[in-house]
Amino acid sequence: MKKIWILFFAFGAAAQERRDPRVEAIVQRIEPAPLQATVAKLVSFGTRHTLSETSGPRGIGAARKWLATEFGRIGQRSRPFEDRFLAPTGPRIPAPVEIVNLGVVIPGTDAARSRQAIVMTGHYDSIPTDPMDAKSDAPGADDDASGVSMALEMARAFAAEQPAVSLYFVAVAGEEQGLVGSQHLAERLKSEGLEILAMTSVDIAGNGEGQDGIRDTSSGRIFSEGVPAVESEAQKKLREAVGGENDSPAREWARYLQSVGERYSEGLTLRLMLRRDRIARGSDHISFARLGYPAVRLMESRENYRRQHQTPRIENGLEYGDDLAHFDAPYAARLCRALAAAIASLAFAPAPPQKIVLAGAVSPDTKLRWTLPADPRLASVIVYRRGAGEVRWQERTLLGKVDHVVLPSLVPDNFFFAVATVDAAGNESLPHPPAELGR
Ligand SMILES: [Zn+2]
């Protein structure tokens, strides 16, 4: 017993998190100035309401033409991506309207994982006070030119990279009309047989001062669902048996984004929010969650509600409107670097372990076993552990290329576990919790 303990701690001591120079290089390419330029350009179209005009210099048509040009000129390994469709009449769509989601795909290089992808979206449509008003100014600087500017910058930053899995950076429309653009995008990617490992909607991510007057440009929030919107009967049974409400695929991606994001984005703290979105509100990640994909929302820490969904005006001496003047590009860049780092690290990482079995219930020891992926990048397996009352992982143990471990004197009831793989540069797969209980 004593020997096993020593071995366990020796591995534990080697478990330093590392920074990959390739990921650092991508992060360094994200600068405030181009984010600022994109937001300014998008604001200049007056309104980007989904039902606004599509022929003149004003309206969503001009905005999407400009975005198509910008995404189209990136080149290198990137390929322009377009998802164009006619949205039928709905609660916020009085007559069928053409919606265009557009961005780039950076194709994955691992032939064995050619159907896997990581998706990021921002929405380029905007609304004034009345959601059906397609004529009034709706600058939408923070909501959500901020997210679109990040999609464009990340498309540029990753354009020459060789990720193992494909990356989608997409500006969607129709968000304010009921998530109709992202719903179509998610359904299309699903119908194409894509397995989305992680999806992030960046929405309202550049305002550094809350309505309460408190400034915060050094933290962000990640919203994720606990109980998955989609789960099989077997998954539900397992979740109930182990108490897996805080270990949904979305929550694992949220924790991953928090941890890798903080590692690479200097001076940024990311807060895990244990709910799908702010209370009774939503964004495009929900379209992906509804199809069973791990999807989260990344956004600013402190919102100013007088600058969201408001026709620009001054009322009783108070300023309303989502204007360019309150977009904080250095803050947005910090959030964008965190997301770029997490996407890069996951995209370079080996395939995750498969068929993870947790055993040892009704015993003083925890036993875990899994199947190793046949991935040449695999350098080691990592076992994550946290106390059963904790939110963040607390222990991270590198085990080498093994397919099982016994953790003596760790009663499984008192901990949560997950298993990940890591490459030689420190890029980790998502941690996967046990998918099965065994003996
Ligand atoms: Zn929004």
Side-chain angles (χ1 to χ4, degrees):
M1 180 64 84
K2 208 164 202 170
K3 256 183 191 161
I4 299 170
W5 268 104
I6 289 162
L7 194 65
F8 180 69
F9 282 114
F11 280 128
Q16 284 299 318
E17 287 173 337
R18 302 178 52 187
R19 290 203 204 182
D20 180 348
R22 285 178 305 169
V23 176
E24 296 225 70
I26 292 165
V27 169
Q28 292 311 316
R29 285 175 210 141
I30 308 290
E31 294 281 1
L35 296 173
Q36 175 78 26
T38 297
V39 172
K41 186 69 189 177
L42 290 171
V43 167
S44 77
F45 297 111
T47 177
R48 304 184 307 278
H49 196 288
T50 298
L51 311 174
S52 62
E53 61 181 286
T54 53
S55 49
R58 182 183 167 86
I60 195 163
R64 77 188 180 211
K65 263 176 235 141
W66 181 79
L67 283 169
T69 305
E70 292 304 310
F71 281 118
R73 67 162 35 137
I74 294 171
Q76 297 181 294
R77 292 196 69 248
S78 80
R79 290 185 202 146
F81 171 82
E82 186 186 273
D83 176 39
R84 185 184 288 263
F85 66 103
L86 196 66
T89 305
R92 284 190 178 188
I93 300 179
V97 64
E98 187 173 61
I99 287 185
V100 187
N101 303 319
L102 69 184
V104 300
V105 184
I106 319 284
T109 55
D110 185 341
R113 303 173 72 192
S114 62
R115 301 315 300 160
Q116 297 187 349
I118 300 169
V119 177
M120 177 271 170
T121 66
H123 70 84
Y124 68 96
D125 62 311
S126 63
I127 50 167
T129 306
D130 172 2
M132 304 305 284
D133 175 3
K135 298 254 185 265
S136 296
D137 277 355
D142 197 28
D143 186 11
D144 181 33
S146 63
V148 175
S149 72
M150 294 188 204
L152 189 54
E153 277 327 286
M154 286 199 281
R156 290 168 177 157
F158 280 88
E161 296 295 333
Q162 309 222 348
V165 299
S166 298
L167 308 180
Y168 286 73
F169 298 105
V170 186
V172 300
E175 196 270 351
E176 307 289 10
Q177 308 314 113
L179 313 180
V180 290
S182 58
Q183 185 188 329
H184 190 272
L185 175 65
E187 281 164 3
R188 171 181 164 166
L189 298 181
K190 185 161 189 136
S191 74
E192 289 175 356
L194 226 58
E195 183 196 338
I196 297 172
L197 305 179
M199 186 274 171
T200 308
S201 167
V202 180
D203 191 357
I204 309 187
N207 173 61
E209 187 174 317
Q211 192 163 324
D212 51 13
I214 297 174
R215 272 190 68 76
D216 181 357
T217 58
S218 61
S219 82
R221 291 180 292 171
I222 308 166
F223 287 88
S224 63
E225 65 184 10
V227 176
V230 178
E231 57 182 354
S232 68
E233 203 46 46
Q235 286 165 333
K236 178 171 184 267
K237 253 175 115 168
L238 179 71
R239 173 172 62 74
E240 289 171 343
V242 302
E245 294 81 9
N246 199 13
D247 288 83
S248 64
R251 192 65 43 86
E252 300 299 356
W253 167 230
R255 271 193 280 262
Y256 186 99
L257 170 53
Q258 177 188 40
S259 147
V260 178
E262 289 181 351
R263 195 187 317 162
Y264 284 94
S265 188
E266 297 290 342
L268 184 73
T269 304
L270 290 169
R271 291 188 285 147
L272 280 184
M273 310 304 284
L274 306 184
R275 44 171 54 121
R276 185 179 72 166
D277 205 316
R278 296 108 78 234
I279 293 167
R281 298 190 69 182
S283 181
D284 296 306
H285 60 304
I286 292 175
S287 294
F288 285 78
R290 282 178 181 145
L291 294 186
Y293 292 127
V296 307
R297 175 182 192 155
L298 173 66
M299 70 180 302
E300 65 203 26
S301 268
R302 291 184 179 271
E303 297 174 70
N304 188 328
Y305 308 102
R306 283 200 292 268
R307 302 199 206 290
Q308 294 174 14
H309 307 175
Q310 296 284 352
T311 307
R313 65 189 186 281
I314 294 177
E315 210 175 278
N316 300 325
L318 291 172
E319 232 188 310
Y320 290 82
D322 188 358
D323 62 350
L324 180 64
H326 295 90
F327 173 68
D328 186 328
Y331 176 37
R334 231 165 275 144
L335 293 169
C336 188
R337 287 185 194 121
L339 180 57
I343 290 175
S345 204
L346 183 58
F348 290 140
Q354 310 287 326
K355 296 186 184 124
I356 300 160
V357 180
L358 171 68
V362 208
S363 94
D365 306 328
T366 293
K367 295 167 192 162
L368 288 160
R369 58 180 190 270
W370 54 85
T371 306
L372 286 177
D375 190 323
R377 283 181 298 268
L378 173 68
S380 179
V381 167
I382 296 173
V383 167
Y384 276 97
R385 164 162 64 93
R386 66 177 199 272
E390 302 298 327
V391 174
R392 284 191 87 152
W393 295 116
Q394 294 173 304
E395 298 292 333
R396 181 176 171 277
T397 310
L398 282 163
L399 297 173
K401 287 190 206 179
V402 298
D403 63 0
H404 69 281
V405 68
V406 177
L407 305 171
S409 298
L410 284 181
V411 176
D413 295 339
N414 298 338
F415 297 93
F416 284 97
F417 298 94
V419 189
T421 55
V422 62
D423 71 4
N427 298 305
E428 298 180 24
S429 74
L430 285 170
H432 285 246
E436 211 181 302
L437 295 178
R439 311 176 43 173

